Amino acid sequence: MAATKEQAKAQARVEAEAPGPTEIRSQLLRTELLKASAWLGLALVIGLCIVLIQPILLIFAGIVVAAILDGGARLLGRVLPVARGWRLLIVCLSLALFLAWTVMFAGSQIADQAATLQTVVMGQVQRIAAWASAHGMGNLEFDTKTITDNLAGTVGRVTAAVGTVLGALTSLVMIVVLGIFIAIEPRLYERGIAWMLPIKSRENFYITTARMGFTLRRLMAGRLVGMIVEGVGTWLACLMVGIPMAALMGLLTGLLAFIPNIGAIVSGVLLVLVGFSAGTDAGLWAIAIYFIVQTVDGYLIVPMVAKQTVDLAPALVLGAQILFGALLGIMGLFLADPIVAMIKVALEREAERNAGAAKRKAAASP
């Protein structure tokens, strides 16, 4: 009742007042100003996204972590009939215990092997350069700084948020915490975004976000399975044939398996270089291990996951990785695959809406 009286008083005051100097009488001028404001607002949004690209990537990485945690809670719900909060807590504690176990039991071994890896890889690179120079391919000289600078230039500008070890750890903590908060109550944030949209657009928003969530969960499940298979398989195979730094090779192979295409190439190069450092037989075994592990992942795990999610063409993913890596740095390289998957889901949903609208229009026309 009080609000109605306030509205009536305000309306009476407006009706009693005379037009001011800023009153626009021309309808054409109003229309053009609205158009200019829309274009200016769009330009400001694009500029703001460019300036804030680092926190935007961190937020999206948090959403990816939330999808992983949510997927684990949903999977656990099939065998454990408890509340979702308890299932999510079990998943988080399991991941924390696994990381603690890795650091406690394999941390010192991996740290020692990591200190040796750079020396081994540089020695192998220099041997290759010497062989190439001996066969008339030019005088090639490499050092650690040159290779690091070239890799940094290839990947693109590494964002300041992850440019240092301290920055990387801080960003990782922020991503994990953000992912946990989103996973605890995902509907809360979904409703909050939908509230800012027009009512007629909310149904489509809910459908699109549901499909994106399903796709992202399945995509990340496939990535995690691939990381485990490649990492553990490489570690055990390297132990069996006597390739040095087996634990580190397994860890790097598993981590790099998160990045399709490029990750497999980088891990394969490192594995072969380390293998040949122990002899020709070990190098040949390293090549065989690489092809066996990649074949299992590429022909068994990836197709099985692709049937349940968005089937992304390898060239499309690789092109996105090159583009995002050059523009956004290492974070863009890691997140290129899920970003492309989300874009494809949104485009497919929009195409579905357009096709439905066309069918309804055709049915309504005489």
Side-chain angles (χ1 to χ4, degrees):
M1 193 69 179
T4 305
K5 291 181 178 179
E6 290 178 355
Q7 291 177 357
K9 289 181 179 179
Q11 185 176 2
R13 289 184 61 185
V14 171
E15 291 176 353
E17 293 177 356
T22 58
E23 186 75 18
I24 301 175
R25 297 285 182 170
S26 173
Q27 185 62 35
L28 177 61
L29 184 57
R30 288 183 180 182
T31 303
E32 294 301 324
L33 283 177
L34 287 175
K35 291 181 180 180
S37 300
W39 283 110
L40 181 60
L42 180 60
L44 289 176
V45 169
I46 294 175
L48 193 63
C49 290
I50 294 175
V51 173
L52 300 177
I53 190 63
Q54 296 174 9
I56 290 174
L57 287 177
L58 292 179
I59 293 172
F60 185 79
I63 295 175
V64 172
V65 172
I68 295 173
L69 297 177
D70 185 53
R74 289 170 181 262
L75 184 62
L76 193 60
R78 298 182 179 180
V79 296
L80 191 61
V82 296
R84 184 181 180 279
W86 289 108
R87 287 184 271 121
L88 184 62
L89 179 61
I90 292 173
V91 172
C92 294
L93 290 178
S94 300
L95 292 176
L97 290 175
F98 172 75
L99 293 175
W101 176 84
T102 303
V103 172
M104 290 176 59
F105 290 94
S108 59
Q109 180 184 4
I110 292 175
D112 294 338
Q113 293 179 1
T116 311
L117 178 63
Q118 179 177 336
T119 304
V120 172
V121 171
M122 286 305 305
Q124 293 297 95
V125 170
Q126 289 174 357
R127 288 179 58 185
I128 294 174
W131 178 86
S133 298
H135 287 77
M137 299 182 186
N139 187 15
L140 302 177
E141 295 182 359
F142 296 99
D143 55 15
T144 306
K145 186 177 183 305
T146 302
I147 295 178
T148 303
D149 292 341
N150 289 335
L151 287 176
T154 302
V155 172
R157 63 176 187 87
V158 180
T159 54
V162 293
T164 62
V165 175
L166 181 60
L169 292 176
T170 304
S171 300
L172 181 61
V173 172
M174 292 173 59
I175 290 170
V176 172
V177 172
L178 183 62
I180 293 174
F181 282 144
I182 296 175
I184 291 174
E185 194 65 36
R187 302 301 180 194
L188 175 65
Y189 305 100
E190 185 182 28
R191 291 194 303 267
I193 297 176
W195 176 76
M196 294 185 290
L197 299 176
I199 295 179
K200 63 180 180 180
S201 303
R202 293 180 186 179
E203 180 182 357
N204 177 61
F205 172 76
Y206 284 130
I207 295 174
T208 304
T209 53
R211 293 184 182 180
M212 284 183 172
F214 175 81
T215 300
L216 192 57
R217 287 193 300 271
R218 292 301 182 98
L219 186 65
M220 291 301 102
R223 289 286 176 268
L224 291 177
V225 172
M227 291 170 67
I228 294 172
V229 170
E230 292 191 26
V232 175
T234 302
W235 171 50
L236 294 177
C238 289
L239 281 179
M240 291 174 58
V241 301
I243 295 178
M245 296 176 279
L248 182 61
M249 289 296 99
L251 178 63
L252 290 177
T253 302
L255 292 176
L256 290 171
F258 187 84
I259 311 175
N261 305 322
I262 296 177
I265 295 172
V266 174
S267 62
V269 170
L270 291 176
L271 180 61
V272 171
L273 290 176
V274 172
F276 276 104
S277 69
T280 304
D281 293 339
L284 295 176
W285 274 116
I287 296 175
I289 291 171
Y290 171 75
F291 280 107
I292 291 172
V293 170
Q294 294 302 322
T295 299
V296 171
D297 185 40
Y299 288 95
L300 293 179
I301 297 175
V302 172
M304 181 174 60
V305 174
K307 292 179 182 179
Q308 304 292 334
T309 59
V310 178
D311 191 7
L312 299 175
L316 175 64
V317 176
L318 182 58
Q321 289 172 338
I322 295 173
L323 179 63
F324 291 156
L327 294 177
L328 308 177
I330 194 69
M331 285 288 290
L333 183 63
F334 270 90
L335 298 175
D337 194 25
I339 289 175
V340 171
M342 296 301 96
I343 293 175
K344 187 174 182 182
V345 170
L347 293 177
E348 287 177 346
R349 172 58 186 163
E350 188 63 24
E352 180 181 321
R353 289 183 61 202
N354 293 336
K359 289 181 180 179
R360 289 191 297 268
K361 184 177 180 181
S365 61

